[in-house]
Each structure stands twice: as structure tokens, then as C-alpha cells.
Amino acid sequence: MNAAAMLGQAIYWNDITTDPDGWFWKTREDWEQELYLTREEQENARNHLRALGDIWQERRSGLPAKLYFRVDLDALAEKGKHRCRRSTTVWNNHL
């Protein structure tokens, strides 16, 4: 649930960022203020999101270092299509 909330919020920021590649930065405090997630909940959610592969991307950059995030919307859409095809196949096999 926390990973889904974090992904949804990241998609929102991904869409409104001024960075042409979709990167935006957030502090732990920003995530906590926006989603009411503790540090541990954020870390667990990020671990789940990183396990999705290319969909959730993170990088550290700058001095002092900031943590930047990006959602690959194309990869997310492709994963969604794949899951829909698989669900349809399972559903059709039960008819």
C-alpha cells in the first residue's frame, strides 16, 4: 500500500517537474509530509518499487547530495499491458 502511494505521488511529480527527463528531488521529510510515511515505511516502499525494475528510478546528485526520483511511464504502461494480457489469458482459460 505504501509503495502504491509513493508511486502515485511520484507520477504526479513526474508530470509537473520542469526537468525534461522527468527527474524531481524529494527529501525524506517531503515524503513524510506528503504521504505521512515514516523513514522505515519510505525505505520499505522504495525497496518494493526498485524491485519493479526500470519503472522506479533513483539517483543521487549535487552538493550537498539530493535524492532524485523518476517514474518511467513507458515501462509502467508496458508492465500494465503485460499483466492485463496475462489476466485475460487466465480468465479465458477458466471459461
Side-chain angles (χ1 to χ4, degrees):
M1 194 70 147
N2 292 338
M6 206 166 199
L7 179 61
Q9 190 71 359
I11 290 170
Y12 166 77
W13 284 107
N14 196 85
D15 285 346
I16 64 170
T17 183
T18 57
D19 182 276
D21 294 323
W23 290 99
F24 64 93
W25 67 273
K26 290 262 171 228
T27 64
R28 187 178 316 122
E29 291 78 18
D30 292 333
W31 288 113
E32 186 173 358
Q33 185 177 31
E34 292 175 19
L35 299 175
Y36 304 99
L37 299 178
T38 66
R39 177 182 181 169
E40 184 177 346
E41 290 170 330
Q42 290 176 42
E43 289 173 359
N44 288 336
R46 287 176 48 218
N47 286 337
H48 286 293
L49 292 167
R50 281 192 297 267
L52 295 175
D54 291 339
I55 292 171
W56 180 265
Q57 300 171 8
E58 299 179 4
R59 74 170 190 209
R60 228 175 253 292
S61 183
L63 288 173
K66 294 178 182 173
L67 188 54
Y68 288 80
F69 303 90
R70 176 171 72 174
V71 177
D72 184 332
L73 298 175
D74 292 332
L76 180 61
E78 189 59 37
K79 187 118 175 154
K81 281 193 254 179
H82 174 73
R83 292 186 68 76
C84 286
R85 281 193 299 264
R86 198 171 75 207
S87 295
T88 302
T89 300
V90 169
W91 176 255
N92 289 337
N93 288 340
H94 289 319
L95 294 178

